[in-house]
mmCIF file of all heavy atoms in Angstrom:
data_model
loop_
_atom_site.group_PDB
_atom_site.id
_atom_site.type_symbol
_atom_site.label_atom_id
_atom_site.label_comp_id
_atom_site.label_asym_id
_atom_site.label_seq_id
_atom_site.Cartn_x
_atom_site.Cartn_y
_atom_site.Cartn_z
ATOM 1 N N ALA L 1 -4.358 48.037 -0.520
ATOM 2 C CA ALA L 1 -4.978 49.254 -0.169
ATOM 3 C C ALA L 1 -6.126 49.558 -1.082
ATOM 4 O O ALA L 1 -7.170 50.058 -0.576
ATOM 5 C CB ALA L 1 -3.860 50.401 -0.204
ATOM 6 N N ALA L 2 -5.978 49.314 -2.313
ATOM 7 C CA ALA L 2 -7.143 49.517 -3.217
ATOM 8 C C ALA L 2 -8.340 48.694 -2.898
ATOM 9 O O ALA L 2 -9.322 49.102 -2.915
ATOM 10 C CB ALA L 2 -6.701 49.284 -4.656
ATOM 11 N N GLN L 3 -7.986 47.457 -2.545
ATOM 12 C CA GLN L 3 -9.167 46.445 -2.183
ATOM 13 C C GLN L 3 -9.731 46.998 -0.802
ATOM 14 O O GLN L 3 -10.961 46.847 -0.707
ATOM 15 C CB GLN L 3 -8.627 45.101 -2.040
ATOM 16 C CG GLN L 3 -8.213 44.456 -3.402
ATOM 17 C CD GLN L 3 -7.497 43.105 -3.301
ATOM 18 O OE1 GLN L 3 -7.276 42.630 -2.095
ATOM 19 N NE2 GLN L 3 -7.235 42.410 -4.428
ATOM 20 N N ALA L 4 -9.008 47.423 0.069
ATOM 21 C CA ALA L 4 -9.534 47.862 1.348
ATOM 22 C C ALA L 4 -10.413 49.074 1.249
ATOM 23 O O ALA L 4 -11.443 49.228 1.877
ATOM 24 C CB ALA L 4 -8.348 48.138 2.351
ATOM 25 N N VAL L 5 -10.119 50.006 0.218
ATOM 26 C CA VAL L 5 -10.843 51.155 0.169
ATOM 27 C C VAL L 5 -12.033 50.997 -0.943
ATOM 28 O O VAL L 5 -12.959 51.744 -0.935
ATOM 29 C CB VAL L 5 -9.909 52.328 -0.424
ATOM 30 C CG1 VAL L 5 -10.693 53.638 -0.599
ATOM 31 C CG2 VAL L 5 -8.863 52.527 0.655
ATOM 32 N N GLY L 6 -11.770 50.032 -1.812
ATOM 33 C CA GLY L 6 -12.841 49.873 -2.903
ATOM 34 C C GLY L 6 -12.568 50.848 -4.022
ATOM 35 O O GLY L 6 -13.513 51.271 -4.588
ATOM 36 N N CYS L 7 -11.292 51.081 -4.338
ATOM 37 C CA CYS L 7 -10.970 51.956 -5.561
ATOM 38 C C CYS L 7 -9.951 51.225 -6.381
ATOM 39 O O CYS L 7 -9.588 49.964 -6.135
ATOM 40 C CB CYS L 7 -10.447 53.221 -5.026
ATOM 41 S SG CYS L 7 -8.913 53.266 -4.197
ATOM 42 N N THR L 8 -9.301 51.798 -7.336
ATOM 43 C CA THR L 8 -8.346 51.289 -8.252
ATOM 44 C C THR L 8 -6.880 51.743 -7.833
ATOM 45 O O THR L 8 -6.744 52.834 -7.116
ATOM 46 C CB THR L 8 -8.626 51.631 -9.671
ATOM 47 O OG1 THR L 8 -8.406 53.029 -9.795
ATOM 48 C CG2 THR L 8 -10.055 51.232 -10.113
ATOM 49 N N CYS L 9 -5.954 50.972 -8.171
ATOM 50 C CA CYS L 9 -4.585 51.386 -7.976
ATOM 51 C C CYS L 9 -4.273 52.770 -8.803
ATOM 52 O O CYS L 9 -3.637 53.541 -8.354
ATOM 53 C CB CYS L 9 -3.610 50.295 -8.515
ATOM 54 S SG CYS L 9 -3.759 48.729 -7.497
ATOM 55 N N ARG L 10 -4.875 52.816 -9.947
ATOM 56 C CA ARG L 10 -4.749 54.047 -10.706
ATOM 57 C C ARG L 10 -5.298 55.300 -9.900
ATOM 58 O O ARG L 10 -4.621 56.361 -10.019
ATOM 59 C CB ARG L 10 -5.421 53.885 -12.130
ATOM 60 C CG ARG L 10 -5.206 55.006 -12.976
ATOM 61 C CD ARG L 10 -6.016 54.880 -14.236
ATOM 62 N NE ARG L 10 -5.463 53.735 -14.972
ATOM 63 C CZ ARG L 10 -4.461 53.730 -15.911
ATOM 64 N NH1 ARG L 10 -3.827 54.878 -16.059
ATOM 65 N NH2 ARG L 10 -4.029 52.624 -16.521
ATOM 66 N N ALA L 11 -6.271 55.172 -9.243
ATOM 67 C CA ALA L 11 -6.894 56.309 -8.422
ATOM 68 C C ALA L 11 -6.033 56.562 -7.294
ATOM 69 O O ALA L 11 -5.767 57.823 -7.145
ATOM 70 C CB ALA L 11 -8.370 55.884 -7.827
ATOM 71 N N ILE L 12 -5.425 55.650 -6.660
ATOM 72 C CA ILE L 12 -4.589 56.002 -5.565
ATOM 73 C C ILE L 12 -3.292 56.801 -6.159
ATOM 74 O O ILE L 12 -2.916 57.695 -5.412
ATOM 75 C CB ILE L 12 -4.025 54.714 -4.951
ATOM 76 C CG1 ILE L 12 -5.332 54.007 -4.155
ATOM 77 C CG2 ILE L 12 -2.930 54.930 -3.850
ATOM 78 C CD1 ILE L 12 -4.945 52.733 -3.461
ATOM 79 N N LYS L 13 -2.795 56.288 -7.322
ATOM 80 C CA LYS L 13 -1.511 56.932 -7.795
ATOM 81 C C LYS L 13 -1.981 58.573 -8.219
ATOM 82 O O LYS L 13 -1.202 59.321 -8.172
ATOM 83 C CB LYS L 13 -1.187 56.209 -8.945
ATOM 84 C CG LYS L 13 -0.498 54.852 -8.652
ATOM 85 C CD LYS L 13 -0.032 54.066 -9.916
ATOM 86 C CE LYS L 13 0.646 52.728 -9.485
ATOM 87 N NZ LYS L 13 0.964 51.921 -10.644
ATOM 88 N N PHE L 14 -3.342 58.600 -8.723
ATOM 89 C CA PHE L 14 -3.633 59.894 -9.193
ATOM 90 C C PHE L 14 -3.804 60.748 -7.820
ATOM 91 O O PHE L 14 -3.312 61.985 -7.931
ATOM 92 C CB PHE L 14 -5.067 59.840 -9.721
ATOM 93 C CG PHE L 14 -5.684 61.158 -10.024
ATOM 94 C CD1 PHE L 14 -5.341 61.965 -11.132
ATOM 95 C CD2 PHE L 14 -6.680 61.647 -9.190
ATOM 96 C CE1 PHE L 14 -5.951 63.135 -11.306
ATOM 97 C CE2 PHE L 14 -7.317 62.810 -9.401
ATOM 98 C CZ PHE L 14 -6.895 63.720 -10.526
ATOM 99 N N TYR L 15 -4.218 60.262 -6.760
ATOM 100 C CA TYR L 15 -4.365 61.140 -5.501
ATOM 101 C C TYR L 15 -2.953 61.483 -4.960
ATOM 102 O O TYR L 15 -2.761 62.571 -4.552
ATOM 103 C CB TYR L 15 -5.082 60.322 -4.441
ATOM 104 C CG TYR L 15 -6.523 59.881 -4.715
ATOM 105 C CD1 TYR L 15 -7.099 58.780 -4.245
ATOM 106 C CD2 TYR L 15 -7.188 60.742 -5.676
ATOM 107 C CE1 TYR L 15 -8.395 58.423 -4.601
ATOM 108 C CE2 TYR L 15 -8.602 60.375 -5.900
ATOM 109 C CZ TYR L 15 -9.151 59.184 -5.406
ATOM 110 O OH TYR L 15 -10.412 58.758 -5.826
ATOM 111 N N GLU L 16 -1.978 60.525 -5.147
ATOM 112 C CA GLU L 16 -0.572 60.888 -4.722
ATOM 113 C C GLU L 16 0.002 61.978 -5.627
ATOM 114 O O GLU L 16 0.669 62.900 -5.137
ATOM 115 C CB GLU L 16 0.197 59.482 -4.866
ATOM 116 C CG GLU L 16 -0.196 58.550 -3.748
ATOM 117 C CD GLU L 16 0.677 57.269 -3.889
ATOM 118 O OE1 GLU L 16 1.419 57.026 -4.873
ATOM 119 O OE2 GLU L 16 0.556 56.416 -3.034
ATOM 120 N N GLU L 17 -0.254 61.836 -7.006
ATOM 121 C CA GLU L 17 0.225 62.854 -7.865
ATOM 122 C C GLU L 17 -0.311 64.215 -7.629
ATOM 123 O O GLU L 17 0.408 65.220 -7.775
ATOM 124 C CB GLU L 17 -0.064 62.435 -9.398
ATOM 125 C CG GLU L 17 0.697 61.226 -9.890
ATOM 126 C CD GLU L 17 0.167 60.735 -11.153
ATOM 127 O OE1 GLU L 17 -0.797 61.340 -11.669
ATOM 128 O OE2 GLU L 17 0.658 59.752 -11.656
ATOM 129 N N LYS L 18 -1.543 64.186 -7.164
ATOM 130 C CA LYS L 18 -2.188 65.581 -6.883
ATOM 131 C C LYS L 18 -1.887 66.091 -5.577
ATOM 132 O O LYS L 18 -2.443 67.144 -5.080
ATOM 133 C CB LYS L 18 -3.791 65.358 -7.164
ATOM 134 C CG LYS L 18 -4.146 65.157 -8.610
ATOM 135 C CD LYS L 18 -3.683 66.241 -9.591
ATOM 136 C CE LYS L 18 -4.202 66.008 -10.960
ATOM 137 N NZ LYS L 18 -3.714 67.067 -11.881
ATOM 138 N N GLY L 19 -1.205 65.335 -4.716
ATOM 139 C CA GLY L 19 -0.739 65.806 -3.411
ATOM 140 C C GLY L 19 -1.884 65.692 -2.395
ATOM 141 O O GLY L 19 -1.739 66.179 -1.278
ATOM 142 N N LEU L 20 -2.748 64.794 -2.676
ATOM 143 C CA LEU L 20 -3.948 64.516 -1.683
ATOM 144 C C LEU L 20 -3.455 63.493 -0.646
ATOM 145 O O LEU L 20 -3.908 63.452 0.428
ATOM 146 C CB LEU L 20 -5.185 64.057 -2.385
ATOM 147 C CG LEU L 20 -5.785 65.020 -3.546
ATOM 148 C CD1 LEU L 20 -6.966 64.286 -4.067
ATOM 149 C CD2 LEU L 20 -6.033 66.320 -2.930
ATOM 150 N N LEU L 21 -2.534 62.653 -1.033
ATOM 151 C CA LEU L 21 -2.054 61.601 -0.109
ATOM 152 C C LEU L 21 -0.520 61.892 0.111
ATOM 153 O O LEU L 21 0.220 61.953 -0.849
ATOM 154 C CB LEU L 21 -2.227 60.243 -0.632
ATOM 155 C CG LEU L 21 -2.071 58.959 0.153
ATOM 156 C CD1 LEU L 21 -3.203 58.966 1.297
ATOM 157 C CD2 LEU L 21 -2.005 57.728 -0.580
ATOM 158 N N PRO L 22 -0.147 62.085 1.362
ATOM 159 C CA PRO L 22 1.267 62.308 1.646
ATOM 160 C C PRO L 22 2.184 61.088 1.162
ATOM 161 O O PRO L 22 1.611 60.067 0.848
ATOM 162 C CB PRO L 22 1.299 62.343 3.185
ATOM 163 C CG PRO L 22 -0.085 62.716 3.606
ATOM 164 C CD PRO L 22 -1.017 62.019 2.569
ATOM 165 N N ALA L 23 3.449 61.475 1.088
ATOM 166 C CA ALA L 23 4.377 60.414 0.536
ATOM 167 C C ALA L 23 4.267 59.210 1.449
ATOM 168 O O ALA L 23 4.419 59.266 2.624
ATOM 169 C CB ALA L 23 5.850 60.948 0.667
ATOM 170 N N VAL L 24 3.978 58.102 0.787
ATOM 171 C CA VAL L 24 3.767 56.776 1.427
ATOM 172 C C VAL L 24 5.098 56.144 1.775
ATOM 173 O O VAL L 24 6.002 56.134 0.829
ATOM 174 C CB VAL L 24 2.968 55.890 0.675
ATOM 175 C CG1 VAL L 24 2.649 54.479 1.298
ATOM 176 C CG2 VAL L 24 1.537 56.435 0.349
ATOM 177 N N ALA L 25 5.239 55.703 2.991
ATOM 178 C CA ALA L 25 6.509 55.020 3.393
ATOM 179 C C ALA L 25 6.854 53.797 2.432
ATOM 180 O O ALA L 25 5.921 53.131 2.004
ATOM 181 C CB ALA L 25 6.541 54.602 4.818
ATOM 182 N N ARG L 26 8.134 53.635 2.226
ATOM 183 C CA ARG L 26 8.544 52.469 1.310
ATOM 184 C C ARG L 26 9.224 51.389 2.090
ATOM 185 O O ARG L 26 9.949 51.680 3.102
ATOM 186 C CB ARG L 26 9.390 52.861 0.231
ATOM 187 C CG ARG L 26 8.534 53.767 -0.885
ATOM 188 C CD ARG L 26 9.437 54.254 -2.088
ATOM 189 N NE ARG L 26 8.732 55.037 -2.954
ATOM 190 C CZ ARG L 26 8.046 54.463 -4.032
ATOM 191 N NH1 ARG L 26 8.049 53.233 -4.236
ATOM 192 N NH2 ARG L 26 7.403 55.317 -4.855
ATOM 193 N N GLU L 27 9.080 50.170 1.658
ATOM 194 C CA GLU L 27 9.791 49.137 2.361
ATOM 195 C C GLU L 27 11.250 48.993 1.768
ATOM 196 O O GLU L 27 11.519 49.722 0.776
ATOM 197 C CB GLU L 27 9.121 47.742 2.141
ATOM 198 C CG GLU L 27 7.682 47.716 2.709
ATOM 199 C CD GLU L 27 7.048 46.454 2.299
ATOM 200 O OE1 GLU L 27 7.548 45.751 1.404
ATOM 201 O OE2 GLU L 27 5.950 46.221 2.862
ATOM 202 N N GLU L 28 12.117 48.136 2.354
ATOM 203 C CA GLU L 28 13.384 48.140 1.907
ATOM 204 C C GLU L 28 13.540 47.633 0.475
ATOM 205 O O GLU L 28 14.467 48.048 -0.339
ATOM 206 C CB GLU L 28 14.185 47.077 2.718
ATOM 207 C CG GLU L 28 14.517 47.585 4.201
ATOM 208 C CD GLU L 28 15.270 46.486 4.894
ATOM 209 O OE1 GLU L 28 15.691 45.590 4.373
ATOM 210 O OE2 GLU L 28 15.555 46.886 6.087
ATOM 211 N N ASN L 29 12.567 46.858 -0.104
ATOM 212 C CA ASN L 29 12.535 46.467 -1.445
ATOM 213 C C ASN L 29 11.941 47.631 -2.411
ATOM 214 O O ASN L 29 11.835 47.295 -3.668
ATOM 215 C CB ASN L 29 11.779 45.238 -1.632
ATOM 216 C CG ASN L 29 10.335 45.323 -0.946
ATOM 217 O OD1 ASN L 29 9.780 46.455 -0.908
ATOM 218 N ND2 ASN L 29 9.784 44.205 -0.767
#
């Protein structure tokens, strides 16, 4: 996802922490 958007994994986690990105679905693992 980070590569597709051109950002860092840390940035994505930050957006999730701030509530900008809804809870992302998780796989069985």
